[in-house]
Amino acid sequence: LMRLKAHSIALACIAGLLTSPLDAQGRLKLLDRGTYICALPGDATGSAWVEQVGREFTIEGGSSYDTPRGGGTYLLEGRQVIFTRGPMRGMKLMVLSSGLLQEIGRDGKLGRLRCHRAGARD
């Protein structure tokens, strides 16, 4: 019985070690307020960036955002932004620097879409 209890405790400790780095990425934070414009890289024959109309969003008070399609909420933990409700639900972004975000794809790799803070909220 003691051996089984020790085995259970060891498994619980290992499970905790495996999940804690993913769960504990950092303290909860808020994005800077303002409008974020999203764009894809262009090419040598045209614009350096091609704005993605309809993908812009505005960070409002607290952890809420607004888009042309409606509003919702997000969670910023460490450097990762996860949109939890509203039209952008499920979208993930990585904070590269203050006011610059890059999309995280479903595969966990950084995508091509980047969003930058264009200005403070009116």
Coordinates of all heavy atoms in Angstrom, one line a residue, residues 102-112:
Q102 N 2.2 39.5 -33.4 CA 2.2 38.6 -34.6 C 1.4 37.4 -34.3 O 1.4 36.9 -33.2 CB 3.7 38.2 -34.8 CG 3.8 37.4 -36.1 CD 5.3 37.3 -36.5 OE1 6.2 37.8 -35.9 NE2 5.5 36.5 -37.6
E103 N 0.6 37.0 -35.3 CA -0.3 35.9 -35.2 C 0.5 34.6 -34.9 O 1.5 34.3 -35.4 CB -1.1 35.7 -36.4 CG -2.2 34.7 -36.3 CD -3.1 34.6 -37.6 OE1 -2.6 35.0 -38.7 OE2 -4.2 34.2 -37.4
I104 N -0.1 33.8 -34.0 CA 0.4 32.4 -33.8 C -0.6 31.5 -34.5 O -1.8 31.5 -34.2 CB 0.4 32.1 -32.2 CG1 1.3 33.1 -31.5 CG2 0.8 30.7 -32.0 CD1 1.2 33.0 -30.0
G105 N -0.1 30.6 -35.3 CA -0.9 29.7 -36.1 C -1.4 28.5 -35.2 O -0.9 28.3 -34.1
R106 N -2.3 27.7 -35.8 CA -2.8 26.6 -35.1 C -1.7 25.6 -34.8 O -1.8 24.8 -33.8 CB -3.9 25.9 -35.9 CG -5.1 26.7 -36.1 CD -6.2 26.0 -36.9 NE -7.2 26.9 -37.3 CZ -8.4 27.0 -36.7 NH1 -8.7 26.1 -35.8 NH2 -9.3 27.8 -37.1
D107 N -0.6 25.6 -35.5 CA 0.5 24.7 -35.3 C 1.5 25.2 -34.2 O 2.5 24.6 -33.9 CB 1.3 24.5 -36.6 CG 1.8 25.8 -37.2 OD1 1.7 26.8 -36.6 OD2 2.5 25.7 -38.3
G108 N 1.2 26.4 -33.7 CA 2.0 27.0 -32.6 C 3.1 27.8 -33.1 O 3.9 28.5 -32.4
K109 N 3.3 27.9 -34.4 CA 4.4 28.7 -35.0 C 3.9 30.1 -35.4 O 2.7 30.3 -35.6 CB 4.9 28.0 -36.3 CG 5.5 26.7 -36.0 CD 6.0 26.1 -37.3 CE 6.6 24.7 -37.0 NZ 7.1 24.0 -38.2
L110 N 4.8 31.1 -35.4 CA 4.4 32.4 -35.8 C 4.0 32.5 -37.2 O 4.6 31.9 -38.1 CB 5.6 33.4 -35.5 CG 5.9 33.6 -34.0 CD1 7.1 34.6 -33.9 CD2 4.8 34.2 -33.3
G111 N 2.8 33.2 -37.4 CA 2.3 33.3 -38.8 C 2.8 34.6 -39.4 O 3.7 35.3 -38.9
R112 N 2.2 34.9 -40.6 CA 2.7 36.1 -41.3 C 1.9 37.4 -40.9 O 2.5 38.4 -41.1 CB 2.4 35.8 -42.8 CG 3.3 34.7 -43.3 CD 3.0 34.4 -44.8 NE 3.1 35.7 -45.5 CZ 2.8 35.9 -46.7 NH1 2.4 35.0 -47.5 NH2 2.9 37.1 -47.3

